[in-house]
């Protein structure tokens, strides 16, 4: 019996079909040596270094950059930043990842921040997404790193404070990236300083999506400035503000400049929604708006839900429907899961049924899926 010849392009299609099945891809490597290059493209598309041993093993297995599968990597995640700082082979290790488009860093420490980030300036200019999660966050150094990638679109800064920031090492760049994708800022005690650095970029901000988490009323002016800076491009806005219940000071959020907004998501405490109502009043005349979603961490008993400010919010949402047919939602995750899946779009949340009195059949009510067994 003669052997059946399968054209290489068909083999490639077969391997590509299995790109989300690592176990099957590994079997493909064993099935045929000719399939190895194609399977590597998918097996090493995402590389994570969660600790120093992973990094050490990588350097042992792939000592030669020319033979390293790092050239197939599109997403690189690093959770052992401290180990990389003290790795003498870093200068040889970084250039291996010549085609990454998304880079993520996690660090629980703040010392030597500027030294650590400086090494990654040598990454390729193909980078389009940068995500930095650090306990002690330095906006000057982080934005300086971002400006080394001219094609950068998405930017995410997450951290606790800005105590480690060193503004002396920051000099305004002559040019800055396109920044046309998503900006996410969730920095406790640091949004204002980070926003100030971003607003100083020479080419301006052109984000289509903003995901902002102010942690005090002092952060709201910075949120407004970011929204205004992106007013010509901003289509999607997510604002998360969870102050203490019954906060004495009610911040106002003016979104009147964001005329191209298509949808907006507010996340707030169920007992503190005055700022949401005031923000909705500033976008009442926006013609491009299509959907408003309000996410509350937990649902109170019905008699409390319909008391106080809730009828006012209900009335405001009904007016949006009557004037512009804008779809509105009030959603809540199940108890104990308030911080799970942080930042996902509203459709990804498992939610409870809200009282039927809410929304006068205008608000979408989504029932929690029943769990079998």
């Amino acid at each position: 019996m003669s052997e059946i010849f399968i054209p290489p392009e068909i083999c490639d299609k077969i391997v590509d079909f299995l790109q989300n099945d690592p176990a099957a891809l590994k079997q493909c490597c064993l099935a045929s040596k000719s399939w190895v290059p194609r399977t590597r493209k998918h097996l090493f598309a995402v590389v994570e270094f969660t600790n120093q041993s992973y990094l050490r093993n990588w350097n042992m297995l792939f000592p030669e950059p020319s033979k390293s599968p790092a050239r197939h990597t599109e997403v690189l995640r690093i959770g052992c930043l401290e180990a990389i700082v003290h790795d003498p082979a870093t200068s040889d290790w970084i250039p291996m990842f010549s085609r990454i488009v998304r880079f993520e860093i996690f660090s629980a420490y703040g010392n030597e921040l500027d030294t650590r980030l400086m090494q990654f300036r040598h990454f390729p200019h193909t980078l389009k997404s940068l995500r930095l999660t650090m306990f002690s966050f330095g906006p000057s150094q982080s934005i300086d790193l971002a400006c080394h990638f001219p094609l950068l679109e998405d930017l995410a800064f997450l951290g606790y404070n800005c105590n480690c920031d060193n503004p002396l090492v920051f000099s305004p760049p002559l040019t800055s990236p396109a920044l046309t994708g998503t900006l996410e800022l969730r920095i406790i005690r640091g949004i204002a300083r980070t926003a100030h650095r971003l607003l100083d970029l020479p080419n301006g901000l052109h984000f289509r999506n903003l995901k902002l988490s102010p942690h005090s009323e002092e952060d709201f002016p910075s949120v407004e400035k970011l929204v205004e800076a992106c007013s010509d491009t901003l289509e999607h806005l997510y604002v998360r503000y969870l102050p203490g219940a019954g906060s004495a000071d009610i911040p106002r959020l003016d979104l009147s400049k964001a005329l191209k907004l298509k949808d907006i998501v507010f996340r707030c405490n169920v007992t503190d929604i005055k700022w949401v109502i005031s923000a909705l009043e500033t976008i009442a005349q926006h013609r491009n708006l299509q959907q408003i979603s309000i996410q509350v961490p937990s649902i109170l008993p019905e008699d409390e839900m319909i008391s106080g400010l809730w009828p006012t919010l209900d009335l405001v949402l009904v007016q949006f429907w009557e004037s512009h047919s804008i779809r509105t939602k009030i959603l809540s995750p199940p108890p104990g899961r308030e911080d799970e899946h942080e930042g996902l779009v509203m459709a990804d949340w498992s939610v409870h049924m809200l009282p039927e009195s809410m929304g006068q059949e205008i608000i979408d009510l989504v029932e929690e899926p029943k769990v079998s067994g």
Side-chain angles (χ1 to χ4, degrees):
M1 181 182 295
S2 60
E3 295 182 0
I4 299 176
F5 173 75
I6 302 178
E9 56 271 19
I10 300 299
C11 295
D12 289 345
K13 289 289 185 181
I14 294 173
V15 173
D16 291 344
F17 183 77
L18 301 171
Q19 60 181 297
N20 296 320
D21 190 341
L25 289 172
K26 292 174 184 178
Q27 292 299 317
C28 289
C29 289
L30 299 175
S32 173
K33 187 176 180 179
S34 63
W35 286 16
V36 171
R38 195 69 174 189
T39 56
R40 275 190 165 192
K41 175 183 176 182
H42 301 301
L43 282 173
F44 293 96
V46 179
V47 172
E48 299 184 22
F49 295 119
T50 56
N51 57 55
Q52 188 172 1
S53 63
Y54 282 25
L55 180 60
R56 189 183 302 114
N57 292 338
W58 177 278
N59 288 330
M60 259 181 13
L61 288 171
F62 311 113
E64 297 183 36
S66 61
K67 297 182 180 180
S68 171
R71 65 182 183 276
H72 300 302
T73 303
E74 296 181 357
V75 179
L76 177 63
R77 301 189 179 107
I78 294 179
C80 55
L81 198 55
E82 294 70 33
I84 293 175
V85 170
H86 303 292
D87 178 17
T90 298
S91 58
D92 297 328
W93 171 81
I94 289 180
M96 293 183 184
F97 295 89
S98 58
R99 298 180 182 176
I100 61 169
V101 295
R102 181 176 176 88
F103 182 41
E104 301 178 8
I105 297 177
F106 170 81
S107 176
Y109 302 94
N111 298 328
E112 301 177 348
L113 178 63
D114 52 342
T115 304
R116 294 172 185 171
L117 294 181
M118 191 178 301
Q119 301 175 73
F120 301 110
R121 295 176 180 177
H122 303 292
F123 269 143
H125 287 175
T126 54
L127 197 69
K128 292 186 177 181
S129 178
L130 177 64
R131 185 179 186 89
L132 304 181
T133 303
M134 299 190 175
F135 179 79
S136 292
F137 184 81
S140 299
Q141 299 91 326
S142 302
I143 294 174
D144 180 66
L145 173 65
C147 287
H148 280 74
F149 306 108
L151 301 182
L152 197 67
E153 298 176 357
D154 302 326
L155 200 53
F157 294 151
L158 297 85
Y160 182 73
N161 60 53
C162 288
N163 292 339
C164 66
D165 189 36
N166 184 3
L168 297 178
V169 305
F170 180 81
S171 57
L174 297 177
T175 184
S176 56
L179 299 178
T180 57
T182 299
L183 171 66
E184 180 177 1
L185 293 183
R186 192 165 73 241
I187 310 168
I188 300 176
R189 297 187 300 217
I191 279 188
R193 192 179 303 180
T194 306
H196 176 70
R197 295 282 185 231
L198 287 168
L199 292 167
D200 281 343
L201 292 178
N203 291 343
L205 305 179
H206 312 281
F207 292 107
R208 293 189 301 272
N209 311 300
L210 290 179
K211 299 173 66 175
L212 307 174
S213 299
H215 286 272
S216 67
E217 53 269 19
E218 288 80 11
D219 287 336
F220 272 68
S222 298
V223 171
E224 291 179 352
K225 290 178 182 177
L226 289 171
V227 169
E228 183 177 357
C230 302
S231 59
D232 291 336
T233 54
L234 184 62
E235 297 180 355
H236 312 284
L237 176 64
Y238 170 94
V239 182
R240 175 189 185 271
Y241 179 55
L242 297 178
S247 177
D249 297 324
I250 306 301
R252 290 188 59 84
L253 183 60
D254 186 357
L255 304 177
S256 58
K257 301 293 179 62
L259 297 177
K260 293 189 176 182
L261 264 182
K262 292 183 178 179
D263 69 81
I264 185 168
V265 179
F266 295 108
R267 182 178 177 188
C268 61
N269 282 335
V270 72
T271 55
D272 193 358
I273 58 172
K274 289 183 179 179
W275 72 274
V276 174
I277 295 174
S278 67
L280 288 173
E281 291 173 350
T282 67
I283 59 175
Q285 303 303 318
H286 285 26
R287 301 298 179 183
N288 292 315
L289 200 60
Q290 299 174 4
Q291 179 168 297
I292 299 170
S293 301
I294 300 173
Q295 176 189 331
V296 289
S298 58
I299 293 299
L300 299 179
E302 184 173 348
D303 58 342
E304 295 184 52
M305 278 288 296
I306 60 176
S307 65
L309 292 170
W310 284 101
T312 304
L313 177 61
D314 185 26
L315 178 61
V316 171
L317 295 178
V318 170
Q319 290 174 345
F320 271 100
W321 173 262
E322 291 177 344
S323 59
H324 305 305
S325 300
I326 296 174
R327 187 183 182 193
T328 58
K329 293 182 180 181
I330 295 182
L331 303 177
S332 173
R337 294 180 57 189
E338 287 85 355
D339 291 323
E340 192 173 338
H341 309 307
E342 177 69 32
L344 295 182
V345 296
M346 301 305 296
D348 293 329
W349 281 72
S350 174
V351 298
H352 278 160
M353 177 72 81
L354 293 169
E356 292 182 0
S357 57
M358 294 294 299
Q360 303 175 19
E361 298 182 355
I362 302 299
I363 295 173
D364 295 334
L365 302 180
V366 187
E367 189 172 6
E368 180 184 7
K370 296 181 180 180
V371 179
S372 59

